[in-house]
Amino acid sequence: MKLFLIFFSFIIFTPTFSQSIYYQETCKCGVTGAGLSTSLGAGSGSFEIYIEPGSTIKKAFLFANKFGDSNDTSILLNNIPFYFNASTQISNEFNLIGTADANNISVHKIDVTSFINPSVTNYSVSIPLQMNCSGCSYNCIYLYVIYENASFISNITSYILINNNNEGYYTDYNFSNFNAITNTDPIGFAIYSDRMNNYSISNDGSYLYFNNGSINAGLLKGSDSVNSNWSGAGVKGHFYYQNNTLFGLDDDTPDELVGGSDGLLKINNYINNNSLNWSLEWEQNVNNGKYNLYSGFFITHSTPCDTFSVSVPNDTIVCKGSQLQLNVSGGQNYEWYPSTGLSCTNCPNPIFTADSTMNYTVRIWNNDSCSVVRPIKIIVNPLPTFNNLTITPTN
């Protein structure tokens, strides 16, 4: 009977899909990231990132999770309000299958490049009380920064991967289309998670596996040290990567195992040199009936790929039923995802036919093995309606 129950759970709770690469960049630069969660409540805290002195900011994103039908919310980062609402959503809405603990979840993003001062590395966070329903909130923020410095001589490729699908007891991710990897340098893997409680090993957490389950990379559980005031605040990998070296921040260590609230990995020995396709699996401990949420991953590695410049359109708003020409340049080949609403998916200039709001990514190839990825959001508004106009003539 026990074997039957295990097999039954495996069938129901095993989503298998490709993780969505939301943003991918190759540059002579450094990358840093850190975050903070207050579980599903209000609160304040702080975290630290690292930016090499004398650097300039190339790109910076502020991410947040939305749970349930929360009202639009402003989250303070160093006392600057950033407003999260439907227009900031970048993922599909997804659920944690088999539990009512956290459902109707989505990942949100605001481009904060112009707000990040390279000389500032400590960030305070204030998440307000959100009153519209029980268990609903915007929370679990993560700040991701790419910075350039004249002293950096090696190219790196950095990836932001965002979850777009339901998660279950056992989830299998397949990663593909990575740039060529210099495997003699560290390959950094930082985790962006939430809803992990401070229970014993037998009652919470997730085991991470690589290479089709053949390598156990450790057990994640609990809350980061910057989140320690809140139970269930989750694990986020705090790190920076520059000059072909991976560094841990907060309570994270750049080694081959995760453990407790250490959400940073060096995965060189888990994938083959220059491998462009590999897999990650996690198995959740659910003895307490609670699941852990994985919003995304941040991967960084050295690469022999050259840098190149691309041009993509800004996010835009159109009316339902209209058409919009999209134009991308700078590459030799192009790949759009998803295909919904586009006249072509392997061209630089597809025509978008407006039906509903869409989050697209376009992969731009410089040659057969090197590419960058850029996001494009098109918000579709309903057609305006007009009241009947009555004209009364006058004498």
Side-chain angles (χ1 to χ4, degrees):
M1 183 68 176
K2 183 176 180 181
L3 289 175
F4 172 78
L5 291 175
I6 292 174
F7 180 69
F8 184 71
S9 296
F10 179 82
I11 292 177
I12 292 180
F13 301 127
T14 311
T16 301
F17 45 83
S18 294
Q19 183 78 351
S20 173
I21 298 180
Y22 179 76
Y23 188 89
Q24 176 182 325
E25 180 64 280
T26 297
C27 55
K28 288 181 171 62
C29 52
V31 176
T32 186
L36 185 140
S37 175
T38 55
S39 191
L40 291 180
S44 299
S46 64
F47 60 80
E48 294 212 10
I49 59 175
Y50 180 86
I51 299 175
E52 185 70 16
S55 297
T56 57
I57 304 302
K58 183 176 183 64
K59 182 61 70 174
F61 297 123
L62 182 65
F63 296 94
N65 288 334
K66 180 185 178 183
F67 290 83
D69 297 321
S70 175
N71 290 331
D72 301 346
T73 302
S74 288
I75 294 177
L76 297 180
L77 184 70
N78 275 3
N79 296 317
I80 300 174
F82 292 98
Y83 190 61
F84 289 92
N85 57 20
S87 69
T88 61
Q89 182 174 332
I90 61 171
S91 77
N92 299 328
E93 195 169 82
F94 58 92
N95 299 319
L96 304 187
I97 302 172
T99 178
D101 186 53
N103 289 311
N104 301 325
I105 306 162
S106 55
V107 182
H108 290 243
K109 178 224 72 180
I110 296 176
D111 189 320
V112 295
T113 305
S114 61
F115 295 93
I116 302 300
N117 184 333
S119 65
V120 176
T121 55
N122 184 273
Y123 283 87
S124 62
V125 178
S126 181
I127 298 177
L129 184 65
Q130 298 163 56
M131 297 292 292
N132 66 310
C133 64
S134 175
C136 298
S137 70
Y138 284 93
N139 77 331
C140 189
I141 68 98
Y142 195 98
L143 177 63
Y144 183 88
V145 180
I146 302 175
Y147 54 94
E148 294 179 304
N149 193 290
S151 66
F152 298 160
I153 60 174
S154 298
N155 290 338
I156 66 168
T157 297
S158 57
Y159 310 81
I160 299 172
L161 301 102
I162 297 299
N163 182 51
N164 258 325
N165 295 270
N166 292 337
E167 298 177 359
Y169 165 74
Y170 190 93
T171 304
D172 185 349
Y173 273 143
N174 295 310
F175 300 91
S176 60
N177 292 326
F178 274 57
N179 279 349
I181 297 171
T182 305
N183 206 41
T184 54
D185 299 324
I187 305 170
F189 187 93
I191 292 163
Y192 177 26
S193 76
D194 199 42
R195 310 304 299 139
M196 289 188 180
N197 295 285
N198 294 316
Y199 297 122
S200 67
I201 287 178
S202 63
N203 282 337
D204 196 36
S206 298
Y207 290 98
L208 268 67
Y209 298 92
F210 286 83
N211 288 343
N212 298 315
S214 63
I215 299 176
N216 186 339
L219 174 66
L220 284 169
K221 72 183 190 73
S223 299
D224 292 321
S225 65
V226 297
N227 304 335
S228 58
N229 290 332
W230 298 278
S231 176
V235 176
K236 281 151 282 294
H238 300 73
F239 77 101
Y240 68 100
Y241 191 115
Q242 64 181 43
N243 286 331
N244 304 330
T245 305
L246 175 66
F247 300 88
L249 299 169
D250 188 40
D251 56 0
D252 298 282
T253 56
D255 55 23
E256 294 184 350
L257 292 174
V258 295
S261 59
D262 171 14
L264 181 65
L265 279 168
K266 185 178 73 170
I267 61 173
N268 297 56
N269 291 332
Y270 300 161
I271 61 177
N272 295 326
N273 188 36
N274 283 333
S275 174
L276 307 182
N277 302 280
W278 47 286
S279 67
L280 164 72
E281 304 82 29
W282 69 75
E283 179 183 5
Q284 305 208 31
N285 269 346
V286 292
N287 293 351
N288 63 344
K290 294 182 180 294
Y291 280 65
N292 310 135
L293 165 66
Y294 288 83
S295 301
F297 308 104
F298 306 97
I299 302 174
T300 315
H301 63 77
S302 300
T303 181
C305 290
D306 290 331
T307 62
F308 62 102
S309 298
V310 299
S311 175
V312 299
N314 294 325
D315 295 348
T316 189
I317 301 174
V318 298
C319 288
K320 185 175 182 179
S322 62
Q323 290 188 332
L324 177 67
Q325 180 83 60
L326 302 174
N327 292 289
V328 177
S329 63
Q332 297 180 7
N333 295 290
Y334 304 87
E335 180 183 4
W336 294 80
Y337 180 83
S339 61
T340 306
L342 298 179
S343 62
C344 59
T345 58
N346 60 353
C347 62
N349 53 355
I351 296 173
F352 170 73
T353 302
D355 182 33
S356 60
T357 295
M358 292 296 300
N359 285 289
Y360 292 109
T361 58
V362 55
R363 180 179 294 277
I364 305 170
W365 300 88
N366 189 35
N367 54 46
D368 288 342
S369 63
C370 298
S371 64
V372 299
V373 175
R374 295 291 185 268
I376 300 170
K377 181 164 189 166
I378 304 175
I379 299 173
V380 177
N381 285 337
L383 291 172
T385 58
F386 302 95
N387 295 326
N388 292 330
L389 179 62
T390 302
I391 299 175
T392 304
T394 60
N395 294 330

